[in-house]
Amino acid sequence: MKKTLLIVLTLVIIAASGGAIYYYTKTKETQNNELENKIDTASRDYFEKYISANDSANTYMVTLEDLEKANQNGENYDLKGLEKCDKTKTFSNVTIDYQTGKAKKTQVELKC
């Protein structure tokens, strides 16, 4: 009886640990997606306002530091949750559409 109880208890602990790990990784992934969306939206707007599409580059890097400076100059980008991120290593590469001069896509790199 003790052996069966020990086996059942061990299986319950393993299952609970697995569930906790799964929940943690899903929560972390959701938080990262939310932060990436914030950087994506702010970077596209920053590009539209502050970067010339007439330059020869087709990809522009907008750092978290750039977005924070823009906020200090009157912009209102939602950067909550990014306080612990590295200001220069957290960035978004904005690819432009040469026909419209608008941001076509972004690739976000978080260093939090």
Side-chain angles (χ1 to χ4, degrees):
M1 186 69 178
K2 285 185 178 183
K3 189 174 184 178
T4 304
L5 181 62
L6 184 61
I7 290 172
V8 169
L9 185 59
T10 302
L11 290 175
V12 168
I13 290 172
I14 290 172
S17 297
I21 290 170
Y22 175 78
Y23 176 76
Y24 174 77
T25 56
K26 282 297 184 186
T27 302
K28 189 70 171 170
E29 184 178 314
T30 301
Q31 288 173 342
N32 282 344
N33 286 340
E34 290 173 2
L35 295 177
E36 285 180 7
N37 287 337
K38 286 181 179 185
I39 291 283
D40 181 2
T41 302
S43 295
R44 286 175 185 265
D45 188 66
Y46 180 88
F47 172 80
E48 299 285 329
K49 292 179 179 175
Y50 297 103
I51 298 177
S52 170
N54 296 330
D55 294 342
S56 61
N58 64 352
T59 303
Y60 299 89
M61 183 168 58
V62 179
T63 64
L64 179 57
E65 183 178 42
D66 293 334
L67 297 173
E68 287 179 345
K69 285 179 183 176
N71 274 354
Q72 292 171 358
N73 292 326
E75 293 296 334
N76 193 22
Y77 299 128
D78 180 13
L79 303 177
K80 289 184 181 124
L82 296 163
E83 294 85 8
K84 294 180 183 178
C85 297
D86 187 289
K87 307 296 183 220
T88 57
K89 293 181 182 176
T90 297
F91 63 90
S92 176
N93 282 323
V94 180
T95 305
I96 65 165
D97 179 352
Y98 278 113
Q99 301 209 348
T100 63
K102 305 283 185 189
K104 181 169 52 172
K105 71 175 188 171
T106 59
Q107 179 183 359
V108 176
E109 183 70 33
L110 292 176
K111 294 292 183 191
C112 300

